[in-house]
Amino acid sequence: MMKKIIITIAIIYSAIFLPLSTIAQTVNWDTLPYIQQADYKLAQLNKTFITSNILYDRVMPIADIERFKAQENLTDTSSPRHLVQAYYELYNSAYNNSTWLTPELLDSKLNTNKAEVNAIPIGLLFYKYNTLDSNAYVDGLVDSLQNGQLTDVANRSRSPYFDQTTFIASPIIADNELFVEGEDYTFYLDPAYFLKNSALTITQIRIDFGDGQGEWVVNDPFSTTAQARGFFSKIIKKVGKTLIGRIVVIGFDVIGHSIRYGNPFKILAKTKKIEYPLTACKGGKGGGRKWVIDPDPVALAQQNAIYGNPPISYQQKVNRTYIDVKDTAYFFFKDDGNNCTNKVVRIPIIFIDGFDTNNDRTVGDI
């Protein structure tokens, strides 16, 4: 599952555009962070030709939105976090995103703006954006300066930028959420999760959840009438280990042309956890024992010197104090009516929690 963490890409013009003689005379732009590398190379270009205000080449295309064309019969598959990742990349590749919903706020909305338990909104993403023609240098649309930057060519035959459109549809979830196999989920429609930078009027949404029960068809899903009633359409579906469905939207674009856009989506669910209750003998509940482990201050200072001090929380900014690293050990005693009573560890077996990206593995699970 893709994370929100995005790595912006350095546009490798040295391989695509620039002769070796030019590379040797460039400044140390290749030591800059990736997005700054791209912006340095593009600094002298006239950005008014980037008509969408979004240059997708500025970021690493993890979501690869160029594969998701605005068409009905698309075969490339999206997923709940893929759509969020795509929005994250568009947000970071935009030259002016001051009016956009930040990816952090989007995740916050997904965490809190729910109709009910296990309620999952249907996300729709529709964006116009630009990409740089990879043949721009070869075709004489741009030239290179001695410092490695690109510059516009006068009287060129065409723009060095391609106009692109992407449409992606999928149920979406927050970064810390997972689907659980065998549980019921309420999928619902909400215009808050229709993310776009160009007008698109949707008159019908058709969703096939791949369960053999046919399409879920909703007419005028985001109409003012639906908003006035204070609710939007929803449907309950049980999610198995894998759910493969398809979403198609029907409507018209800003100039009145009829559209049918869609793509398949895939949901992977984790196996439902069996919870093991903690007891006085196992895990410290009800009179058991646990040990809060504080770090050695000298050792901690050495680590902070290498990796930097931890961030100061909002509440601590006044006193400029830091939260020391600490953790907790839970004791599980042999439950034979003897060791548990004495609470003595005679033959220790130590379990250390592994990589838990969602921090949802409890002591009982371990």
Side-chain angles (χ1 to χ4, degrees), residues 273 353-366:
K273 294 189 301 183
D353 192 12
F355 189 53
D356 182 13
T357 56
N358 292 288
N359 196 30
D360 66 349
R361 187 163 48 239
T362 65
V363 176
D365 297 325
I366 299 170

Side-chain angles (χ1 to χ4, degrees), residues 52-55 65 84 86-106 109 125-129 195-198:
S52 67
N53 179 50
I54 300 170
L55 186 61
I65 67 173
V84 178
Y87 179 77
Y88 193 81
E89 292 173 14
L90 287 163
Y91 177 89
N92 283 279
S93 58
Y95 281 104
N96 183 359
N97 55 21
S98 60
T99 61
W100 291 41
L101 178 71
T102 67
E104 292 74 20
L105 284 177
L106 175 58
K109 283 173 63 67
L125 184 145
F126 177 68
Y127 275 85
K128 307 284 187 179
Y129 67 99
L195 308 169
K196 61 185 185 299
N197 68 347
S198 184

Side-chain angles (χ1 to χ4, degrees), residues 74-353:
L74 194 73
T75 57
D76 288 307
T77 303
S78 184
S79 63
R81 289 304 295 177
H82 170 260
L83 187 148
V84 178
Q85 175 71 24
Y87 179 77
Y88 193 81
E89 292 173 14
L90 287 163
Y91 177 89
N92 283 279
S93 58
Y95 281 104
N96 183 359
N97 55 21
S98 60
T99 61
W100 291 41
L101 178 71
T102 67
E104 292 74 20
L105 284 177
L106 175 58
D107 248 19
S108 178
K109 283 173 63 67
L110 288 170
N111 265 324
T112 60
N113 185 23
K114 289 187 173 183
E116 52 195 82
V117 176
N118 280 356
I120 307 296
I122 301 297
L124 304 172
L125 184 145
F126 177 68
Y127 275 85
K128 307 284 187 179
Y129 67 99
N130 291 103
T131 55
L132 186 61
D133 184 348
S134 59
N135 292 318
Y137 183 82
V138 175
D139 291 349
L141 307 178
V142 298
D143 203 351
S144 60
L145 302 174
Q146 292 299 312
N147 61 3
Q149 292 179 318
L150 299 179
T151 183
D152 292 296
V153 171
N155 301 317
R156 57 194 174 197
S157 58
R158 67 180 190 276
S159 170
Y161 305 101
F162 291 133
D163 295 324
Q164 309 275 20
T165 302
T166 188
F167 176 86
I168 305 176
S170 174
I172 51 177
I173 57 176
D175 188 35
N176 61 350
E177 284 189 286
L178 291 171
F179 286 92
V180 178
E181 181 183 5
E183 290 196 3
D184 289 333
Y185 288 86
T186 300
F187 296 93
Y188 68 99
L189 300 171
D190 187 333
Y193 300 106
F194 184 11
L195 308 169
K196 61 185 185 299
N197 68 347
S198 184
L200 186 68
T201 301
I202 297 176
T203 57
Q204 187 180 83
I205 294 181
R206 310 178 70 93
I207 305 178
D208 187 342
F209 288 91
D211 55 3
Q213 298 181 17
E215 290 183 315
W216 178 40
V217 180
V218 181
N219 294 315
D220 297 322
F222 306 138
S223 66
T224 55
T225 302
Q227 295 183 48
R229 290 197 302 263
F231 69 94
F232 297 92
S233 298
K234 61 184 181 181
I235 191 171
I236 297 176
K237 291 288 182 178
K238 187 178 294 294
V239 173
K241 190 69 175 177
T242 304
L243 187 154
I244 300 176
R246 186 176 189 86
I247 300 174
V248 174
V249 303
I250 302 169
F252 52 90
D253 61 17
V254 66
I255 58 177
H257 288 164
S258 297
I259 62 96
R260 291 180 68 100
Y261 298 154
N263 62 262
F265 67 90
K266 186 175 184 177
I267 291 174
L268 297 176
K270 67 174 183 177
T271 303
K272 191 169 185 177
K273 294 189 301 183
I274 300 175
E275 299 288 350
Y276 295 92
L278 303 184
T279 67
C281 245
K282 302 184 183 302
K285 184 178 181 180
R289 183 178 297 175
K290 65 180 181 180
W291 173 30
V292 178
I293 306 170
D294 287 306
D296 175 71
V298 175
L300 182 61
Q302 292 172 348
Q303 294 300 310
N304 284 342
I306 297 173
Y307 298 106
N309 288 315
I312 304 173
S313 70
Y314 176 79
Q315 291 83 359
Q316 296 170 309
K317 285 182 180 179
V318 177
N319 298 323
R320 307 295 294 178
T321 59
Y322 297 95
I323 299 176
D324 286 337
V325 178
K326 63 175 60 179
D327 213 325
T328 306
Y330 296 84
F331 288 80
F332 287 67
F333 298 100
K334 183 180 179 182
D335 191 7
D336 61 358
N338 183 18
N339 287 353
C340 183
T341 302
N342 296 331
K343 297 184 176 59
V344 176
V345 176
R346 301 190 184 279
I347 304 177
I349 302 174
I350 300 173
F351 291 85
I352 300 176
D353 192 12

